[in-house]
Amino acid sequence: MRVFTMLPMRHWRGAGPFAAAAEAAGFDAVMTVELGHDVFTPLALAALATERIELTPSIAVAFPRSPTVMASQAWDLQANSNGRFVLGLGSQVKGHNERRFGIPWSAPAPRLRDYVRALHAVWRCWETGGKLDYQSEHYKLTLMTPDFSPEPTGLPMVPVTIAAVGEAMLRVAGEVCDGVRLHPLCSRRYLEEVALPRIEDGMRRSGRRRANFDVFGGGFVVTGPDAKTVAAGMEWVRKRVALYGSTRTYTPILALHGLKELGAKLHMMSTQGRWNEMAAEVTNDVVRIFAACGTYDEIVGAVEARFGGLADAIEVNFPTGTPAGLQRDLLTEIRRIPHIFEGFDTSR
């Protein structure tokens, strides 16, 4: 199983040293998330400080950026990392697109399918020198002059993975993408019974192979040297589950586990501004539906039980102060857990 970890994002000077240490420890990838800080710059700094490790946003919000703007950012990260960049995209929800980014909303799954195909068209144009002519329902791209075209890299096309929760987006991931970034509010049961079958539906449409498709995540990992540290990590997860569970988009996941009423209560509390009270509604049993939890002696078995045989990659963030040697040992054991993904095939 592949293991990712989160780059520091607030202070850029820390990104390079952190990435170099993560590479030395044996992590497969470093990642960023688009919240309060720029999602790409820390990855650029990490690229210059490393040689092997994969670099990926998980995720960058797609629709506020045109496909050509996104293609340019990804192209330079791919070129300057010598082919180690993977573009993780997400649609975000309607409210954020309309009210935070100020852009019109439309059905996200067909629009993101179009977006990924537009990226591929722009990258092919730049690599081959051919004409740009991508015309679809959402994007019409027909102009690319030499002055605005970067030099060909000779590298594989950038792999694209997308965040997916609902059935339509999961099918889009399987149809046109190289991987999926499952939401943290995702159980083993939801992954097995809902997510993977829909991804496979999409793969059948395009003839893609599961061995070339990276399934990332589908839950949290909580670990530490002792029970106290694990309990503190579970409290953090409890707050995240409460936050995510209050969003009606994720009701089907809760309903699968008989927790529909919990989701309704959390949503009601959020509309009342009772954010600080919501976590108390999430029991330890609910936390463990969505998280692999255990001390360092227990966590490898917990990860295998939670993700083994289904996911190809997970996120692990060790507590500050975890010795480098111990990180290497634990990562070696986690990476021995079998997975299906063999590598990206971007020969389009």
Side-chain angles (χ1 to χ4, degrees):
M1 182 173 290
R2 305 201 309 145
V3 188
F4 295 17
T5 196
M6 188 68 67
L7 271 178
M9 298 184 62
R10 181 181 177 186
H11 300 295
W12 289 353
R13 291 185 187 277
F18 182 96
E23 184 172 74
F27 282 100
D28 295 278
V30 289
M31 54 192 278
T32 54
V33 61
E34 187 156 33
L35 293 172
H37 298 280
D38 178 65
V39 73
F40 290 114
T41 303
L43 294 169
L45 298 170
L48 301 180
T50 56
E51 299 291 336
R52 172 194 60 81
I53 204 165
E54 188 175 292
L55 311 155
T56 184
S58 188
I59 51 77
V61 181
F63 301 148
R65 301 173 174 95
S66 82
T68 306
V69 169
M70 187 73 80
S72 179
Q73 291 175 292
W75 184 271
D76 282 346
L77 282 160
Q78 177 79 332
N80 285 281
S81 67
N82 195 30
R84 294 183 286 129
F85 182 68
V86 176
L87 179 58
L89 295 177
S91 62
Q92 249 303 352
V93 298
K94 180 180 179 180
H96 282 268
N97 277 273
E98 290 184 336
R99 294 159 48 209
R100 183 158 68 97
F101 293 111
I103 61 170
W105 179 250
S106 60
R111 186 174 175 183
L112 197 55
R113 180 192 292 112
D114 247 6
Y115 193 103
V116 173
R117 288 172 170 163
L119 289 172
H120 292 160
V122 173
W123 288 330
R124 278 194 297 269
C125 167
W126 289 342
E127 189 64 33
T128 67
K131 178 178 173 57
L132 177 62
D133 186 13
Y134 182 79
Q135 302 190 52
S136 66
E137 177 185 355
H138 300 93
Y139 300 104
K140 293 178 173 57
L141 306 175
T142 59
L143 175 65
M144 188 62 63
T145 62
D147 283 347
F148 293 98
S149 301
E151 301 79 4
T153 65
L155 296 168
M157 187 179 288
V158 178
V160 180
T161 72
I162 62 170
V165 176
E167 297 187 14
M169 196 69 83
L170 288 163
R171 290 190 181 96
V172 169
E175 182 181 359
V176 301
C177 298
D178 303 292
V180 67
R181 301 293 166 88
L182 296 169
H183 196 275
L185 197 74
C186 178
S187 65
R188 182 177 179 90
R189 184 178 173 188
Y190 190 84
L191 176 52
E192 190 167 26
E193 296 182 13
V194 179
L196 288 176
R198 304 306 177 272
I199 291 167
E200 289 162 3
D201 286 346
M203 287 181 178
R204 280 191 288 271
R205 295 179 184 180
S206 58
R208 306 173 75 78
R209 295 177 64 240
R210 174 65 177 86
N212 302 128
F213 188 91
D214 188 27
V215 176
F216 169 87
F220 301 90
V221 175
V222 177
T223 191
D226 49 43
K228 182 179 179 181
T229 307
V230 173
M234 289 180 67
E235 287 305 309
W236 183 86
V237 172
R238 195 185 317 278
K239 293 176 182 177
R240 304 309 297 176
V241 171
L243 174 65
Y244 295 140
S246 71
T247 304
R248 285 175 288 188
T249 302
Y250 308 125
T251 297
I253 301 170
L254 296 174
L256 188 66
H257 294 275
L259 300 171
K260 187 174 182 179
E261 290 185 5
L262 172 63
K265 184 173 185 179
L266 291 169
H267 177 70
M268 179 191 69
M269 293 174 74
S270 72
T271 63
Q272 296 170 344
R274 297 164 59 190
W275 300 100
N276 293 334
E277 303 172 38
M278 288 163 45
E281 302 296 325
V282 179
T283 67
N284 281 348
D285 287 342
V286 173
V287 168
R288 291 183 181 276
I289 290 173
F290 300 108
C293 305
T295 62
Y296 293 148
D297 292 338
E298 302 164 336
I299 195 59
V300 176
V303 165
E304 185 162 18
R306 176 66 181 72
F307 299 97
L310 300 179
D312 301 301
I314 59 170
E315 177 186 355
V316 175
N317 297 297
F318 291 112
T320 302
T322 304
L326 179 56
Q327 291 189 42
R328 282 193 294 273
D329 291 344
L330 290 170
L331 289 171
T332 297
E333 292 302 311
I334 294 172
R335 296 178 75 240
R336 285 183 179 141
I337 298 171
H339 62 92
I340 298 173
F341 177 70
E342 296 176 359
F344 295 114
D345 178 9
T346 57
S347 55
R348 301 182 184 92

